[in-house]
Structure formats: C-alpha cells, structure tokens
Amino acid sequence: SVSCEFCLILGVILFRICWFAVFRLSTRQISTTCGVQGGQKWRLEHGLARSGTEYGPLTDLPDWSFADGRPAPPLKGHLRRKQERETLARRIVMLNSEVDQGMEMWREKQEEAKRVEEHKKSLLLKPKGKLLLKKKSKS
C-alpha cells in the first residue's frame, strides 16, 4: 500500500515534469520590444540616415540606364519619395510663413502696447512749481 502511494506520487511528479518540458519546448517566445536594426545608433551618431535604405545613392539613383546613355524611366518608389519630399517642402514653407506672420503680429502688439503706455504717461499730470525746478536741475 505504501509502495502504491509512492508509485502514484512518483508518477504524478514525472507527468508534471514531462508536461512542463513539452509545454516549454512547444511554445513560441514572443518579444514585445521594438527591434533595432544593426548599426542604427552608429549611423545616427555620424549624421547618416537611420537605415541604409532611407536616402542616399542606393535609393535615389536609378538602378539602370540604357546602353546609349539615356536615363531609365523613374521607378514608382522614386516618384513616391519625390512626391513626399515636395509635400514636406510645401508644408515647411507654409509653417515658416505662419511663424513669420505670428512674429510680425507679436511685434505689432508690442509696439501698440508701447504706444499705449507712452500715451498714458503723457496724460499724467505734469509737475509744477518747485518739483518742476528740481526735475530740470537733475537733468
């Protein structure tokens, strides 16, 4: 009876060990961290593109040309990148003009505030008598 219980307990333990080993080997490990391309940090530190395929001669120049020297027609990727750059340039120009307009309005408000302050000072009562003579003697 004791040996049967021992065998039963041993069997349960072996089953759990085997089940854990099989389960561990059969599951796939999923990483939720973002993958970093090799050399990305180095390229960014040296002022280059994040990856080798963002810009540069390998992506900007055509892959081939005709034997007589004529250039190849532009590829879809090249046309798309050109369109993206043009759109970005237009957006930069628009935002730059908005910043310029904002700075001009700010300057005008500052000048208007100065004029209002000077106008308020001009409306104040002027010193008379002894105060006027003291003020003139100081300046």
Side-chain angles (χ1 to χ4, degrees):
S1 150
V2 173
S3 64
C4 287
E5 287 179 15
F6 178 73
C7 289
L8 183 62
I9 292 172
L10 186 62
V12 169
I13 292 172
L14 286 175
F15 174 76
R16 286 186 178 176
I17 290 172
C18 291
W19 179 81
F20 179 74
V22 169
F23 180 73
R24 190 181 69 179
L25 293 174
S26 67
T27 59
R28 293 183 182 202
Q29 302 296 326
I30 298 174
S31 175
T32 58
T33 60
C34 66
V36 177
Q37 294 177 341
Q40 177 179 2
K41 182 178 177 186
W42 181 88
R43 284 193 292 269
L44 290 174
E45 288 173 356
H46 287 83
L48 300 173
R50 198 170 30 134
S51 71
T53 60
E54 287 183 9
Y55 58 85
L58 293 178
T59 56
D60 294 337
L61 295 178
D63 293 336
W64 57 277
S65 63
F66 290 102
D68 60 358
R70 291 180 294 143
L75 301 173
K76 290 180 184 178
H78 181 72
L79 293 174
R80 179 184 45 81
R81 284 188 296 275
K82 183 178 177 183
Q83 180 66 34
E84 288 172 359
R85 289 183 190 130
E86 288 176 2
T87 305
L88 180 63
R90 285 190 184 98
R91 182 163 168 75
I92 289 171
V93 168
M94 181 194 66
L95 293 174
N96 192 24
S97 66
E98 287 181 9
V99 168
D100 290 342
Q101 288 174 355
M103 290 297 292
E104 186 63 33
M105 289 175 59
W106 178 78
R107 270 191 223 104
E108 289 174 2
K109 285 182 181 180
Q110 293 293 321
E111 291 172 3
E112 182 64 29
K114 245 186 223 181
R115 281 194 293 267
V116 168
E117 188 67 29
E118 289 174 3
H119 182 67
K120 285 181 181 179
K121 284 183 182 179
S122 70
L123 294 177
L124 292 176
L125 295 174
K126 308 293 188 266
K128 296 185 180 180
K130 293 180 184 178
L131 293 175
L132 180 61
L133 293 175
K134 284 183 185 178
K135 191 173 181 182
K136 284 186 180 179
S137 66
K138 285 184 183 178
S139 57

